[in-house]
Every structure is written in C-alpha cells, then in structure tokens.
Amino acid sequence: MDHFLYRDGQLYAEDVPVADIAAAVGSPVYIYSTATLLRHFRLFDEALAWGPHLVCYAMKAASNQAILKTLAEAGAGMDVVSGGEYARAKAAGVPGERIVFSGIGKTRDEIRAALIGGVRQFNIESEPEMRVISEIASSMGVIAPVTVRVNPDVDAKTHAKIATGKSENKFGIPIAKARSVYAEAAALPGLKVVGIDVHIGSQLTDLEPFAMAYRKVAELTEVLRADGHEISRLDLGGGLGIPYTRSNEAPPLPVEYGAVVQRELGHLGCEIEIEPGRLIAGNAGILVSKVIYVKEGEGRNFLILDAAMNDLIRPAMYDAHHDIVPVIEAKAGAEQAPFDIVGPVCESGDTFAKGRMMPALGEGDLVAFRSAGAYGSVMASEYNTRALVPEVLVRDDQFAVIRPRPSFEDMINRDSLPEWL
Ligand code: LLP
C-alpha cells in the first residue's frame, strides 16, 4: 500500500495534489511520500521483532539525504556499497555502528574511510578483499568487524540482471569454500569475524528461494561454530519484491518474510540484519511527467512524454513494467485506447510501454509512473544533456524540493576546458 491515491478525481501525494507540485516545480519530477517510506521500514522492523535485529536500508534504491534522514531518524541502519554512499549515510547522521559496507570491489580508500568513520561490519566478498581489509585495519591499529558473503547457489527466480545468488554470479564466495575462508579470516590480524552475509537477488516474489538460502546459512552457522568461530550476526541481504501492477500481483508481505527468517534461523540466537531497498522506497515514489505530443503513427499511436529513459531506465534495462496513470483521473467508463508511451531521447529503446491502454490525453496533461521510488532517480543520467529530474518529499500536507533541477548553466559549467582551447 502507498500514499498516492485519487481524491475527488485527482492524484494526491499524501495530502498534496500532485498537480500542485508539478505546477510549482515543473516536470518531470520525482515525488516521495514520507508516510510510505516509514510504513515500509516499520513493517520490516515489526516482522523481525521476535528477536534482536537491525533493518539496514539499501540506499542504492534511493539515496537522497532527506530520504536517508527520514529513515535514520526512525531507527534504520544503512547498507552502503561505495565510499560515496558511506559518505551520504554519515552526512545523514547515521552512526558508523549502524552502517554495513557491502559490495564486491571496495577500494583501499573506501575501506580506510569506513574504518576511520566507524562501520558496523564489512561484508567481505573475496579472499583478496579480506586480506586488504586485514592489512589496512592492522596498519591503523584497529579491528575490522567482518562477515563473509556466501553464495548459496540458489535460483532467486528473478530477472537475470538482478539475480546474485547463483554460482555463475560474481557475488560472494561459494558456500562450499566457506570453512577455509573463515579459517583464514580468523587467522588474519585486524579482523574480527562477527557473522555470515548472504543476498540472493532483487525483486523476489516467492519466499522459497529465501528459505532455501537461509537453510544453507543455518547449516553453515552450526559448522562454523563447531570450528570455533563466533557467529553472532546474520546479514540476510534484501530482495523482497513489490507489486508493480495494481491488479494481479501480490508478492509476499514483510511479515511473511519475517516468519520465514524466524523459522529457518530463529533457533540460532543470532542478531538478524536485513538490507531491503526496493520494498522501502519503490512504492514510496512516483515520477510525474507531462505529455508533450500525441503522435499518430502507422497502426499505432504514441504518447510522447517529457520524461525519458535517462530519467527512469528500468523499462529499457529490465523490460520493467510501471503502471502509468493520469494525474487527473479518467471519468468512470471513459474510453481507453492503446498507446506506445515514449520519451524524447533519440533511441528506440526510449520506450516505457507498448500498446498500453490509456484514457484520452492531450498536450500538457500529466501522468504518473507508479512504483518509481526505487532505482529510479538514482539510476538517472544526463544523457542528451537532459537535466537530472528534481526530487520532492511530501509529508502530510507539506512538500519540499529535496534536490533542485539543475540549470543548463549548472550542467555546462561542470565541464572545464583545457588550456589549449
Ligand atoms: N543488498 C545487496 C548486497 C544488494 O546487492 C541489493 C541490491 C540489496 C541489498 C537491495 O535489494 P532490494 O531489497 O532493493 O531488492 N536496479 C535494479 C535492482 C538492482 C539491485 C541490486 N542489489 C532494478 O531497478 O530492478
């Protein structure tokens, strides 16, 4: 459930008409709902309330400072995957002990920065990385808390580009190798093993792959404990999917996910960490765009919007479906017709939907892409020298611009000319 609903025939973000925001800020514009962000965070928090836990928001999904601060103030930890994300978490006031550092290619500078600023744990993804963390921590005279990310070789049954838990993926170390890697970790200076990490993919709509992976983690916990390691923390990654269509999709709820975690791992007495991104931010954001032209093609009609693939790349990159709805609700029983919904970028891939049934729309009408809060704005680029879409956060009847639209001058002035020009 989210807080973007029609009232008296027009779409609202909480208590603010979406059209008012577009009038004030222009289009395209990303709009986020505070209530939805908090609701989703709390659903996870409550789903794990049966034991000690920390919900570490995977900020790769949406990393605006205002979003991070909203969640951090509610008690969220953060999952970061780069020095930039680590700096964002700190800037939003998240203490180091609530930041987990994931990612397969942490650089020496990133590791050093996190050890200086404080980190809950590094999720180690390879032996070379483990040795580098050991070397840096030792040279700084500190102890780095670590888990090893294991690859359980489980099919997450999701889009190939966002599955991570099969042996052919680049992530983690094969679970069969875990004992020897943990033995090396225990022997290296500057490291303290605190637990195990696993993440099998994103937009999972079935709990079974999670259950299979967590069962393997439970077995591994027993084995590693018998080997003398202290396994007190299990980081279970993110990945729970969201409904992208209103009508026919009902992915499992956080409470059902939490029950699977309890069933598979509850007996181990470990602190549980999870790293959800999409489920917290996805349905907490919409992308609002304006119709530039309605174009009649041969055998098909096009709705040409002022948003494009550079603003929301998910349809082009993952064939993702986003519901696209008019901001002014169509009258009940109004006729609909199929449209190809496209952006202005000079590529055929700049297509959001083909043959989508839409009510009659004309130049200047606003539409909203639903479920665009996660992996929307953060994956945007300035391709075609199109300005990054501004972001707005709504809370009850208030809204604030949390990232302004850059001017063309801002964009051009980021370049610099060499002396010879
Ligand atoms: N933890 C790790 C280690 C991850 O790699 C990811 C996502 C997450 C947590 C959060 O997963 P979530 O709860 O959001 O599913 N750009 C793609 C999604 C990429 C996900 C990458 N990793 C998309 O737009 O669908």
Side-chain angles (χ1 to χ4, degrees):
M1 135 162 204
D2 62 45
H3 294 77
F4 300 100
L5 300 171
Y6 287 110
R7 274 189 216 167
D8 303 325
Q10 65 165 320
L11 190 66
Y12 273 67
E14 301 192 16
D15 299 327
V16 185
V18 165
D20 287 5
I21 298 174
V25 183
S27 76
V29 55
Y30 275 99
I31 303 175
Y32 304 94
S33 152
T34 300
T36 314
L37 286 167
L38 290 176
R39 179 184 140 80
H40 290 160
F41 164 69
R42 289 187 183 128
L43 287 177
F44 274 120
D45 205 31
E46 286 158 20
L48 298 176
W50 46 266
H53 66 276
L54 183 65
V55 178
C56 295
Y57 169 60
M59 72 155 79
K60 61 167 75 68
S63 57
N64 188 290
Q65 288 295 293
I67 292 174
L68 302 186
K69 200 140 195 282
T70 298
L71 293 167
E73 284 181 1
M78 300 282 156
D79 169 50
V80 307
V81 293
S82 70
E85 286 196 346
Y86 179 83
R88 278 193 175 276
K90 293 292 279 195
V94 185
E97 65 265 24
R98 279 203 266 141
I99 304 175
V100 302
F101 207 135
S102 302
I104 66 159
K106 301 174 201 77
T107 65
R108 286 170 181 264
D109 285 347
E110 289 173 330
I111 293 163
R112 209 169 287 117
L115 284 172
I116 292 168
V119 65
R120 182 177 183 81
Q121 90 224 10
F122 291 103
N123 293 330
I124 289 177
E125 296 238 13
S126 67
E127 289 105 316
E129 182 197 347
M130 174 168 78
R131 292 170 200 141
V132 167
I133 295 177
S134 160
E135 180 197 316
I136 295 174
S138 309
S139 73
M140 290 170 64
V142 299
I143 301 289
V146 298
T147 71
V148 175
R149 175 168 176 183
V150 293
N151 184 327
D153 195 19
V154 163
D155 183 356
K157 298 190 208 138
T158 186
H159 192 286
K161 282 189 184 148
I162 52 177
T164 55
K166 285 287 286 173
S167 55
E168 73 248 29
N169 300 129
K170 65 183 178 182
F171 300 96
I173 60 134
I175 199 159
K177 254 176 101 179
R179 284 182 82 183
S180 68
V181 175
Y182 272 87
E184 184 179 349
L188 283 170
L191 301 184
K192 178 172 169 35
V193 170
V194 294
I196 305 173
D197 173 44
V198 70
H199 169 82
I200 55 172
S202 194
Q203 186 54 18
L204 272 69
T205 52
D206 179 0
L207 291 175
E208 196 42 39
F210 286 118
M212 275 161 63
Y214 297 168
R215 219 166 290 150
K216 292 191 178 188
V217 168
E219 281 165 25
L220 181 63
T221 303
E222 312 271 15
V223 169
L224 293 178
R225 281 178 171 170
D227 285 349
H229 301 288
E230 193 190 313
I231 304 296
S232 57
R233 201 180 277 175
L234 300 176
D235 181 335
L236 306 178
L240 193 58
I242 63 169
Y244 275 98
T245 53
R246 304 251 109 188
S247 39
N248 54 7
E249 246 183 310
L253 303 171
V255 66
E256 296 165 322
Y257 169 81
V260 168
V261 174
Q262 185 174 20
R263 186 185 77 211
E264 302 298 340
L265 301 163
H267 59 286
L268 296 166
C270 288
E271 180 175 17
I272 301 292
E273 291 167 357
I274 55 169
E275 305 167 349
R278 189 190 311 268
L279 200 143
I280 291 180
N283 282 321
I286 59 174
L287 169 63
V288 175
S289 178
K290 192 180 275 180
V291 176
I292 308 178
Y293 296 116
V294 182
K295 172 172 167 176
E296 284 183 23
E298 212 160 320
R300 59 182 65 226
N301 292 331
F302 297 94
L303 273 185
I304 304 176
L305 303 183
D306 66 358
M309 63 189 291
N310 68 295
D311 305 313
L312 177 67
I313 204 170
R314 302 194 68 261
M317 190 149 172
Y318 314 108
D319 301 314
H321 172 102
H322 286 263
D323 278 354
I324 304 171
V325 299
V327 167
I328 303 299
E329 196 175 19
K331 300 253 176 317
E335 246 181 66
Q336 300 214 333
F339 285 94
D340 284 9
I341 304 180
V342 302
V345 160
C346 307
E347 295 201 25
S348 298
D350 186 19
T351 298
F352 292 119
K354 286 203 162 151
R356 186 71 67 85
M357 295 304 286
M358 297 292 287
L361 288 167
E363 184 185 337
D365 287 342
L366 294 170
V367 296
F369 289 76
R370 288 192 176 274
S371 316
Y375 308 110
S377 173
V378 283
M379 294 182 79
S381 76
E382 290 181 344
Y383 187 39
N384 282 201
T385 305
R386 294 169 46 82
L388 287 180
V389 174
E391 294 179 291
V392 165
L393 183 65
V394 173
R395 193 182 72 166
D396 303 325
D397 60 357
Q398 309 175 64
F399 74 90
V401 174
I402 56 173
R403 195 180 67 193
R405 192 189 313 276
S407 67
F408 295 150
E409 205 181 16
D410 292 336
M411 293 160 73
I412 295 164
N413 287 344
R414 254 188 271 130
D415 298 353
S416 51
L417 293 173
E419 269 173 23
W420 62 84
L421 285 177

